[in-house]
Amino acid sequence: MQILMVEDNHSVCEMMAMFFKKEKWTFEFAYDGEEAVEKFRENHDQWDLVLLDLNLPKKDGMQVAADIRQISPVVPIIMLTARDSESDQVLGLEMGADDYVTKPFSPLTLIARIKALHRRIQMGNVQPSADTTTDDFDIQTKHFKLNTKTREAYLNGQPIKDLTPKEFDLLKALASKPKQVFSREQLLQLVWNYEYYGDERTVDAHIKKLRQKIEKVGPKVIQTVWGVGYKFDDSEVD
C-alpha cells in the first residue's frame, strides 16, 4: 500500500513512519496543504490512501480534501481531527473524507482503520472471472443495479459516478433491502464496521453527498424516515 500522510507535526510523522515500515507500506509526508496537493497531483494514480490533518499551514485540510477530490473522486481519505471539533469532523466528511480519526490517536488504532478501509475496497475491487460479465449485478431492481466486483451502480441505466468507497458501501447497504428502514446506528455498524461512539452525523454527512451524486442522474431514491433513519426506494421512479 502507498500512503500520502499530510501532517505538519514532524514528531507525529516520525512516529507513524516506524509503523508504516513495520507494515512494509510505501509512504511519503507532506507538511503543509500546498505541498500535499502538489504531491498528490504529480502522481495521483499511485496513492492507495491519504491521511489528512485538518490544521495545516498554507492551505487547511478542508481545502486540501476538496482539491484532492477534484483530482480523484475515489481515493480513500482518512481525516485526522481534534477530539472536540465535531463540526469539523462532519464538515470533513461532507468535503469527501471516508473516515476520520480523532487526535491524539493511538498509532495502532490508525493502522487498524487504514487496514479496515483498504480491505473493504480490495474486496470490492476483485476482478470478475472469465465467465463473469458486468451484467452480473449483485443488486438489481426495476430501475437500479449495482455490481460489487466492478464497484459500479446505475439508476435508469445511467452510471452514478465518482462514488467514494464509503458512499458506495452505504448505497449497497441501503439498496440490498429496498424499502427497509435502517437506523443511523445500523448503518454505522454495517458500513463502518466499528462503533462511532454515537456520532450519527457521520451517516447524515455521507447521505447528503450520496444523494447529490444520485440526483445528477435520476430522482431521489434514498428517503429520510423522520425520527428513524433512511431507506432506499425506487418504486416511484418513472
Side-chain angles (χ1 to χ4, degrees):
M1 186 162 21
Q2 292 187 290
I3 295 175
L4 175 63
M5 184 167 185
V6 188
E7 168 64 66
D8 64 325
N9 187 319
H10 288 247
S11 296
V12 172
C13 293
E14 290 172 4
M15 174 183 66
M16 291 310 305
M18 293 187 292
F19 285 87
F20 294 155
K21 289 177 182 176
K22 184 177 180 181
E23 298 292 336
K24 295 182 170 59
W25 293 342
T26 303
F27 57 91
E28 286 188 36
F29 296 110
Y31 301 103
D32 64 62
E34 291 182 357
E35 181 187 10
V37 175
E38 287 306 310
K39 277 182 176 288
F40 188 83
R41 182 180 287 115
E42 286 172 6
N43 296 290
H44 66 273
D45 291 332
Q46 82 178 49
W47 304 112
D48 295 306
L49 186 138
V50 177
L51 296 174
L52 177 60
D53 188 27
L54 281 186
N55 298 314
L56 295 167
K58 296 188 180 179
K59 182 179 290 189
D60 67 35
M62 296 297 183
Q63 186 58 55
V64 173
D67 290 347
I68 287 176
R69 278 286 169 253
Q70 289 291 321
I71 301 167
S72 171
V74 297
V75 66
I77 299 174
I78 297 179
M79 278 195 164
L80 308 176
T81 73
R83 186 176 300 276
D84 58 353
S85 59
E86 291 183 359
S87 60
D88 282 348
Q89 293 161 4
V90 174
L91 182 57
L93 296 170
E94 291 181 347
M95 295 298 290
D98 296 287
D99 198 355
Y100 69 81
V101 174
T102 54
K103 296 174 97 176
F105 57 82
S106 158
L108 292 176
T109 297
L110 180 56
I111 294 295
R113 293 283 186 91
I114 293 170
K115 287 181 176 179
L117 181 55
H118 188 65
R119 182 168 57 248
R120 292 175 70 85
I121 296 167
Q122 290 299 104
M123 290 174 63
N125 284 341
V126 174
Q127 294 299 312
S129 61
D131 59 351
T132 301
T133 72
T134 55
D135 290 329
D136 294 326
F137 291 95
D138 305 274
I139 299 172
Q140 192 160 2
T141 67
K142 184 177 180 181
H143 302 283
F144 176 82
K145 52 188 179 181
L146 179 146
N147 188 321
T148 56
K149 295 183 178 69
T150 60
R151 293 188 78 82
E152 295 174 321
Y154 298 84
L155 182 61
N156 277 342
Q158 299 297 312
I160 303 170
K161 296 181 179 180
D162 299 335
L163 294 174
T164 67
K166 278 292 187 290
E167 289 165 357
F168 182 90
D169 292 340
L170 184 56
L171 179 57
K172 177 185 175 184
L174 289 165
S176 65
K177 296 183 179 179
K179 297 187 178 181
Q180 176 175 319
V181 180
F182 291 85
S183 69
R184 292 170 177 82
E185 182 179 12
Q186 287 174 318
L187 290 171
L188 284 171
Q189 294 171 352
L190 285 169
V191 176
W192 279 263
N193 249 352
Y194 51 80
E195 294 297 333
Y196 252 73
Y197 304 105
D199 189 358
E200 297 174 349
R201 293 184 300 172
T202 299
V203 175
D204 296 336
H206 278 81
I207 289 286
K208 179 180 177 181
K209 297 291 287 186
L210 178 57
R211 278 175 168 164
Q212 290 172 352
K213 294 178 181 180
I214 292 174
E215 289 166 25
K216 288 181 179 179
V217 299
K220 183 182 293 186
V221 293
I222 296 180
Q223 301 172 6
T224 301
V225 181
W226 296 108
V228 184
Y230 299 100
K231 68 177 181 178
F232 177 94
D233 185 0
D234 66 342
S235 61
E236 300 298 321
V237 174
D238 294 329

